Amino acid sequence: MTDAPATPTLLAVAHGTRDRVGIATYHALLDEIRAQRPGLAARLAFLDLALPAPAQVLADSCGTVVLVPLLLNTGYHIRVDLPAVRATAPHLDVRMAAALGPDPLLAAALGDKLAEAGWSPTRSGADAVVLTAAGSTDPAAVADTELMAGLLRQRLGRPVVPAYLCASTPTPAEAVGALRAAGHRRVAVARYLMAPGHFALRAQRAGGCFVSAPLGAHPDVARLVLKRFDEASGQTA
């Protein structure tokens, strides 16, 4: 019998995508997490559209495992799917971390991604940003996105409004149009998404002057994953 690891295993659980670049992006994020915390056992699983599934990873795990959702908001996956995953592994001490967002580290990563896309709040002009999220019918998820828009607004010192790619309103195109009608000449679209995929492509067509890349393997995202891991496991970095 294999001895249980002395420290918990981090199991990062992403929503999933069929996009190969998206899958590679999640693996790059795991590489960044391991680089920031050498020696940590960190594994990756997907809730849908890609493998391995979380239950597959848990089946061959031992000891304590901390599920860290690579999800930006509280919602159905957090409330229903991940507890169901946890129930498949009664042989383990499985702990649940909170969703990644909202958090100031995400605001920092979003600001960097906007800068990489060419947007700068220091340039002249009435600039504004549309924070584009996947969307949800869960009011808690919508509230989380609104809080994240507030954190990004504080960081950038410019108007930031949330928009949603499904299930909620306004759409990104509607938000861009409303800001331009209000006099904002240069409107950027910040993709509040983890990785390339279907939603990221839709956000690209929102009509912004600048469209930032998804959060991906940004170092601050990796720091936030480790922060959530530490909170759930009681470990100290």
Side-chain angles (χ1 to χ4, degrees):
M1 179 179 294
T2 302
D3 291 336
T7 58
T9 296
L10 188 161
L11 176 54
V13 182
H15 179 276
T17 177
R18 294 186 180 92
D19 188 293
R20 292 183 179 180
V21 177
I23 296 294
T25 298
Y26 284 115
H27 283 285
L29 175 58
L30 264 290
D31 289 342
E32 177 64 25
I33 290 166
R34 295 182 186 110
Q36 291 189 19
R37 186 74 61 85
L40 174 67
R43 303 180 71 180
L44 176 65
F46 300 93
L47 288 168
D48 197 11
L49 303 176
L51 294 173
Q56 291 175 297
V57 177
L58 292 176
D60 66 359
S61 298
C62 59
T64 300
V65 178
V66 178
L67 298 183
V68 181
L70 301 183
L71 304 170
L72 297 171
N73 296 316
T74 303
Y76 185 86
H77 293 309
I78 299 289
R79 292 186 294 100
V80 178
D81 287 340
L82 289 179
V85 167
R86 184 181 189 180
T88 67
H91 64 293
L92 299 174
D93 175 13
V94 181
R95 305 178 187 181
M96 288 275 301
L100 296 183
D103 194 276
L105 285 169
L106 292 176
L110 287 163
D112 286 350
K113 292 294 183 179
L114 283 166
E116 290 170 6
W119 187 86
S120 171
T122 62
R123 292 179 181 175
S124 61
D127 294 303
V129 175
V130 173
L131 182 69
T132 300
S136 174
T137 57
D138 190 318
V142 174
D144 281 350
T145 301
E146 292 172 351
L147 288 172
M148 192 65 237
L151 290 173
L152 186 58
R153 188 181 305 120
Q154 292 173 13
R155 185 171 187 87
L156 299 179
R158 290 291 186 273
V160 177
V161 298
Y164 307 93
L165 291 157
C166 72
S168 305
T169 56
T171 68
E174 288 170 345
V176 169
L179 285 168
R180 286 191 172 135
H184 297 282
R185 297 191 299 276
R186 297 191 314 139
V187 179
V189 173
R191 285 192 275 194
Y192 189 43
L193 304 166
M194 286 297 298
H198 174 69
F199 281 141
L201 289 173
R202 287 181 56 190
Q204 184 74 41
R205 300 191 288 267
C209 296
F210 306 93
V211 181
S212 67
L215 290 160
H218 190 283
D220 280 336
V221 177
R223 291 185 186 98
L224 181 54
V225 173
L226 290 168
K227 175 183 173 182
R228 295 288 183 258
F229 170 79
D230 290 338
E231 291 167 348
S233 66
Q235 299 291 307
T236 56

